[in-house]
Amino acid sequence: DTVMTQSPALAVSPGERITISCRASESVSTLMHWYQQKPGQQPKLLIYLASHLESGVPARFSGSGSGTDFTLTIDPVEADDTATYYCQQNWNDPLTFGSGTKLEIK
Amino acid sequence: EVQLVESGGGLVQPGRSLKLSCAASGFTFSNYDMAWVRQAPTKGLEWVASISTGGGNTYYRDSVKGRFTISRDNAKSTLYLQMDSLRSEDTATYYCARHPPGLNWFAYWGQGTLVTVSS
């Protein structure tokens, strides 16, 4: 299975620009997607195909990358962005998720 | 408004069975591939199974093949997951999710239903 590695946690102040990384164990082309999961809620799609913003998602969120290295950027971060962020690939079967990056807003 | 509402979770003993349901509304259910994704307590997300629009094609992760069956009733706009021979490692919140047409990510998710496998 394709393993995606994410840094486990990040603590930042409102107004900062942050990047969350996701590294795949093998190339996934641009078939990488990003989700936000707030405590006690279901996941929400933010970015699909590495860089496409899902409808209704604020333009503060953006994605980039291809191959094995991907980045989710939030600029500027707001207090409401407190959540765990997951990447997901579907280039290789089975589709797999990263372990998540927990974002805390100080 | 797209809505996915799961039901059927609960406490079940190892080796027993449970059937989850997901009632869909707000869209033409028969036009979309659907999936189940689970999340063990305090853990990350794990894809479980997917099914094509007509139900003729099904896909499973290896750890549930032969034990879980995904199905759908398009007339009732309902997705199912029959879980047999349950193990403690199947304990998780199970989410129903909708694929974009012909694509393999998840644009909409239900609130989830908790399955606990324990004696």
Side-chain angles (χ1 to χ4, degrees):
Chain A
D1 296 3
T2 302
V3 176
M4 270 89 72
T5 301
Q6 297 182 242
S7 50
L10 198 55
V12 301
S13 299
E16 290 187 32
R17 176 183 185 274
I18 67 138
T19 59
I20 295 173
S21 65
C22 175
R23 173 164 286 177
S25 60
E26 54 191 318
S27 176
V28 299
S29 184
T30 56
L31 296 187
M32 183 67 80
H33 324 292
W34 290 93
Y35 301 87
Q36 175 194 64
Q37 186 177 32
K38 295 182 178 180
Q41 296 187 17
Q42 70 270 50
K44 173 187 174 183
L45 178 67
L46 298 175
I47 300 287
Y48 62 94
L49 296 175
S51 62
H52 296 261
L53 191 68
E54 174 69 354
S55 176
V57 175
R60 303 184 291 106
F61 293 88
S62 62
S64 63
S66 65
T68 60
D69 292 298
F70 298 85
T71 299
L72 173 70
T73 300
I74 311 175
D75 184 17
V77 166
E78 296 181 357
D80 187 52
D81 298 334
T82 296
T84 301
Y85 293 83
Y86 294 94
C87 55
Q88 177 240 316
Q89 67 82 25
N90 69 287
W91 177 254
N92 301 304
D93 288 331
L95 65 86
T96 49
F97 292 87
S99 53
T101 296
K102 188 172 183 178
L103 177 63
E104 176 195 339
I105 311 300
K106 294 185 254 187
Chain B
E1 178 194 5
V2 172
Q3 284 202 318
L4 300 169
V5 180
E6 301 93 337
S7 61
L11 174 63
V12 61
Q13 293 179 327
R16 304 297 290 265
S17 299
L18 202 62
K19 187 171 186 176
L20 306 182
S21 299
C22 170
S25 61
F27 64 100
T28 304
F29 181 71
S30 58
N31 287 353
Y32 293 86
D33 297 344
M34 298 293 296
W36 290 97
V37 178
R38 68 185 178 185
Q39 185 171 36
T42 72
K43 301 296 184 183
L45 300 166
E46 184 176 78
W47 168 77
V48 174
S50 291
I51 187 168
S52 60
T53 53
N57 294 304
T58 56
Y59 311 88
Y60 301 92
R61 67 179 304 102
D62 284 349
S63 61
V64 307
K65 274 181 190 173
R67 299 190 301 123
F68 288 13
T69 303
I70 188 172
S71 63
R72 63 192 296 161
D73 185 335
N74 286 342
K76 294 182 178 179
S77 296
T78 302
L79 177 71
Y80 302 102
L81 186 67
Q82 175 69 45
M83 304 185 292
D84 300 324
S85 303
L86 281 161
R87 306 168 180 168
S88 58
E89 55 264 36
D90 296 318
T91 293
T93 294
Y94 285 73
Y95 295 100
C96 167
R98 192 186 89 174
H99 289 274
L103 300 168
N104 253 349
W105 60 88
F106 308 106
Y108 291 94
W109 299 66
Q111 293 274 25
T113 187
L114 177 61
V115 173
T116 303
V117 184
S118 175
S119 54

